[in-house]
Amino acid sequence: MGFDVVVVGGGHAGVEAALAAARMGAGVALVTQDAASLGRMSCNPAIGGIGKGHLVKEVDALGGEMGRAADAVTIHARVLNTQKGPAVRATRVQCDRYLYNDRMVRAVRRADGITPIQGEARGLVVREGAIRAVVLADGREIDTRTVVLTCGTFLDAVLHFGDDMVPGGRFREAPSLGLSDALRGLGLPLGRLKTGTPPRLLASSLDLSATTPQESDPTSPPFSLWPDGTPPLPHRACYITWTGPACHAVIRANLHRAPLFSGRIQGRGPRYCPSIEDKVVRFAHHDQHQVFLEPEGLESPEVYPNGLSTSLPLDVQEAFIRAIPGLRDAVITQPGYAVEYDFVDPREVDGSLGCHRVAGLYLAGQVLGTTGYEEAAALGLLAGANAALAARGDRPFVLSRADGYLGVMADDLSTRGVTEPYRMFTSRAEFRLSLREDNAHDRLSPLASRLGLLEPARARDTEARADRINAADAILSRTRVRPADLPADTPTPPDGLTLREWLRRPGTDPSALLPHDPTGALAALADDERTALTIRVRYEGYIARERAEVERFRAFDSLPLPAGLDYGTLPALSLEVRERLTRARPTTLGAASRLEGVTPAAVSALLLRVKAGSRERQGAGAAGDAAGSGGGSFGNSPGMPSGTSSDASTDG
């Protein structure tokens, strides 16, 4: 039995990888230890957030499932950073974790071209430097042209419950054994990381009157442009409480029993999502930390106390939790724990997430050192799409940092590596004003359509959406409102204002323009379309300046480095830089510039080498033309923008 693509792992990365490859026409095998656990939310029952919501929008724009699934099972929603600029506004929703899991299982079962295979992958068959098969624990071999590894936190994983260490990838689920050794055998360097989760609490044991409710925002927009037609679920409130001195005293008194401080845990944990014991130690000057009590589902008896991730023993967990307002009588239904697991150095892959050492091997999600459902889903989609392309002999699909947050993440991982679990933030993107949630489909859906990732009907939807926004924008520019028809407190020139000029003014409610549009084009826009248009108008100057920066970046970033360049022949480079460049083999000057330890002086030396090579090739081409041989030009090679000047190159 053979497949074009074998996806190993059924988490968020694996599901999106399998669905993406199948949409592109590949025959896909999805290998998982438990076919009922596809897309399981093993930690927080939430999707989105700062940077993460942008990724979910991009997954949807590329035809993925995460946004649609989250919308269908949302029980609490909010838009974050509403008082800040549009670049950093982000959607976050609480999901019914059980319905989300069920939704993903059904999505995979319904997909044409996916064959779920229940089993544990133990090895990889590689011949002549290319993937040939996946070996299962029971001895079966699955022949394939490409493999996408999305093993999550399961590679040789260990769970830490205080002094107890139990093999497992998550609570009551076995680890993946043997695959780490197989990867080492291929020469891939592995490291160790750690993450964790809080205890789950019995909802009926909590005193919510001692907490502060946080209601859902009914105006929060959906992630997906393509709702599945199911009625929205009723929403539930979340509740806020705080740790305090009594809680912290319990934790400090038991730090010797915390595996994070006793030396049992060797892996590095996520800096931006630390355990409560880590927060108490690192931020000793704070006498309280916020805790969000989040429902696990409409019918679930459990609550997720966001902010209390811990690996302390159960008796200590009970003691510090009961010292928190509202949780005095809390009953723990599942203890918190830490999980330590193997990951592959992400510098072993390129921007397509394909492995340098083994043709046809792709990696995505936590096996590459990331953390979070959203990061995993986005990388899984990219890896699955590229595995399908490789299986049919097509060129890879690579997004640049100027194309999307997915491009930023893939580039960060493949060029810089990780020293801790990687989490997406808007601050990681140089061009974040151009990479907003509201324009994700404008940016990426045309690319997805050309690749076959997006169904034709959805591609037409995104085109129609863009047409509606553009038509309304044209109406704004040519429709003028008389001073008498404007609000009295609006400073107005004698000839009035165009609708565009009016909308650009701070505090203008876009709905106030509707009566002044005789065509009805503005009224025909959906809420999210009107939001996108408003942002376009109000920030057009900033967006135009950033667009110019993007063009300079693209010119610099795409300058190709010669494939066989011997860095040892460049005396201007230090020994350290030579070693880093030789190991990474960056294909462009932009990729080289982002490698850890590569200095601006080293980039300048490489730029001089690229220009020298260009002049040499141009000279050879001119000589060849004179001799009638028609020589080529390095400057017009693939990826090099025609007409790129020295100034454009150095301005990047």
Side-chain angles (χ1 to χ4, degrees):
M1 178 168 51
F3 294 90
D4 298 314
V5 180
V6 172
V7 177
V8 177
H12 302 278
V15 166
E16 295 292 355
L19 290 172
R23 286 197 304 277
M24 295 176 66
V28 181
L30 177 55
V31 178
T32 175
Q33 296 189 52
D34 181 6
S37 69
L38 300 179
R40 180 170 290 170
M41 295 176 135
S42 50
C43 196
N44 193 339
I47 297 291
I50 307 300
K52 292 171 174 282
H54 294 72
L55 285 174
V56 180
K57 282 282 192 178
E58 293 185 358
V59 167
D60 191 67
L62 292 167
E65 188 66 21
M66 174 173 271
R68 274 166 54 90
D71 289 343
V73 300
T74 291
I75 59 175
H76 184 97
R78 296 190 69 81
V79 177
L80 309 180
N81 281 346
T82 56
Q83 301 305 309
K84 298 184 179 180
V88 298
R89 293 174 198 156
T91 307
R92 183 181 185 274
V93 302
Q94 292 293 132
C95 297
D96 185 309
R97 74 160 67 245
Y98 305 102
L99 294 179
Y100 187 93
N101 174 205
D102 181 64
R103 169 73 186 240
M104 285 304 194
V105 170
R106 287 188 285 114
V108 169
R109 288 176 178 170
R110 287 197 307 263
D112 293 333
I114 299 180
T115 302
I117 297 177
Q118 194 149 305
E120 180 187 348
R122 283 286 177 90
L124 302 170
V125 176
V126 176
R127 288 192 291 270
E128 298 178 353
I131 282 287
R132 293 291 182 264
V134 173
V135 182
L136 303 186
D138 59 12
R140 286 179 290 168
E141 287 194 10
I142 306 173
D143 294 334
T144 183
R145 297 176 181 176
T146 59
V147 171
V148 182
L149 289 184
T150 65
C151 305
T153 61
F154 282 77
L155 285 184
D156 279 359
V158 176
L159 306 182
H160 293 267
F161 301 88
D163 297 327
D164 297 327
M165 297 172 60
V166 180
R170 62 187 164 208
F171 192 60
R172 293 177 178 164
E173 294 189 38
S176 174
L177 303 174
L179 202 51
S180 287
D181 290 337
L183 294 171
R184 288 191 187 94
L186 296 174
L188 298 176
L190 271 63
R192 202 80 170 151
L193 290 175
K194 166 259 178 188
T195 189
T197 192
R200 307 306 194 266
L201 308 179
L202 186 66
S204 60
S205 68
L206 309 183
D207 177 14
L208 297 179
S209 67
T211 67
T212 303
Q214 183 189 66
E215 299 295 336
S216 182
D217 178 1
T219 65
S220 180
F223 283 117
S224 181
L225 287 187
W226 302 286
D228 65 357
T230 58
L233 297 178
H235 283 204
R236 297 283 187 265
C238 294
Y239 295 86
I240 300 172
T241 186
W242 298 81
T243 64
C247 170
H248 295 185
V250 173
I251 293 170
R252 289 193 184 98
N254 288 277
L255 287 176
H256 62 287
R257 302 179 66 189
L260 185 64
F261 296 103
S262 67
R264 285 181 176 269
I265 292 178
Q266 299 298 315
R268 182 77 176 267
R271 177 193 307 265
Y272 301 103
C273 188
S275 64
I276 184 61
E277 54 266 34
D278 199 14
K279 284 191 277 191
V280 167
V281 171
R282 286 170 53 194
F283 309 109
H285 54 290
H286 291 305
D287 56 10
Q288 63 178 11
H289 296 286
Q290 196 171 54
V291 179
F292 285 89
L293 303 176
E294 301 170 340
E296 296 256 290
L298 292 178
E299 305 297 330
S300 173
E302 294 178 313
V303 164
Y304 180 97
N306 193 345
L308 294 180
S309 174
T310 184
S311 58
L312 284 161
L314 180 57
D315 62 302
V316 181
Q317 293 184 35
E318 290 175 335
F320 78 68
I321 281 176
R322 290 173 180 171
I324 297 173
L327 310 186
R328 184 183 63 183
D329 300 315
V331 174
I332 294 178
T333 58
Q334 175 188 307
Y337 61 88
V339 56
E340 199 174 12
Y341 56 94
D342 287 344
F343 78 104
V344 176
D345 186 335
R347 291 172 294 182
E348 290 295 316
V349 302
D350 58 24
S352 74
L353 305 186
C355 184
H356 296 300
R357 298 173 191 258
V358 183
L361 177 60
Y362 296 81
L363 296 94
Q366 286 172 293
V367 72
L368 272 185
T370 65
T371 183
Y373 308 146
E374 303 82 1
E375 290 87 346
L379 291 173
L381 189 152
L382 181 62
N386 276 306
L389 289 169
R392 66 192 192 202
D394 287 346
R395 295 178 62 183
F397 169 48
V398 178
L399 289 170
S400 86
R401 302 180 70 87
D403 294 324
Y405 278 88
L406 176 50
V408 171
M409 177 167 54
D411 185 71
D412 280 350
L413 292 169
S414 61
T415 61
R416 299 172 182 173
V418 298
T419 56
E420 61 188 54
Y422 179 98
R423 177 176 179 175
M424 179 50 70
F425 292 103
T426 53
S427 58
R428 295 189 187 273
E430 301 92 328
F431 310 116
R432 56 184 176 270
L433 185 55
S434 301
L435 305 181
R436 308 180 307 275
E437 276 195 7
D438 67 272
N439 71 353
H441 294 82
D442 298 331
R443 290 185 278 114
L444 299 178
S445 290
L447 297 174
S449 178
R450 290 196 291 271
L451 284 170
L453 275 169
L454 200 62
E455 300 167 6
R458 293 189 182 183
R460 289 192 294 271
D461 288 343
T462 57
E463 291 171 1
R465 178 181 186 272
D467 289 344
R468 287 192 297 272
I469 294 173
N470 290 335
D473 196 1
I475 295 298
L476 293 179
S477 298
R478 66 172 181 255
T479 304
R480 185 168 291 278
V481 183
R482 297 177 305 172
D485 295 328
L486 291 166
D489 59 350
T490 303
T492 309
D495 60 343
L497 296 172
T498 65
L499 290 178
R500 171 178 271 273
E501 291 167 337
W502 186 9
L503 181 59
R504 190 181 292 126
R505 299 200 169 189
T508 300
D509 184 344
S511 63
L513 279 62
L514 300 182
H516 303 279
D517 170 22
T519 69
L522 292 175
L525 295 179
D527 289 343
D528 68 292
E529 295 167 355
R530 197 172 297 130
T531 297
L533 176 59
T534 302
I535 291 171
R536 177 195 293 188
V537 169
R538 289 181 177 169
Y539 292 86
E540 62 182 346
Y542 299 103
I543 293 171
R545 283 199 292 272
E546 187 168 276
R547 190 177 299 118
E549 293 176 13
V550 167
E551 293 308 311
R552 287 194 293 270
F553 165 81
R554 289 191 192 278
F556 174 82
D557 192 61
S558 62
L559 284 172
L561 295 174
L565 179 59
D566 181 1
Y567 295 103
T569 64
L570 302 180
L573 301 181
S574 69
L575 178 60
E576 177 190 2
V577 169
R578 291 179 200 170
E579 291 175 347
R580 291 181 185 275
L581 290 168
T582 300
R583 180 182 183 278
R585 303 305 312 178
T587 58
T588 67
L589 189 61
S593 72
R594 292 187 291 276
L595 292 174
E596 184 180 8
V598 175
T599 63
V603 174
S604 295
L606 289 173
L607 180 59
L608 290 174
R609 177 63 183 84
V610 168
K611 289 179 178 179
S614 178
R615 287 193 295 269
E616 291 167 6
R617 290 173 180 255
Q618 289 171 352
D625 288 340
S629 59
S633 167
F634 181 75
N636 291 327
S637 62
M640 180 73 169
S642 60
T644 298
S645 68
S646 299
D647 290 341
S649 300
T650 55
D651 281 347

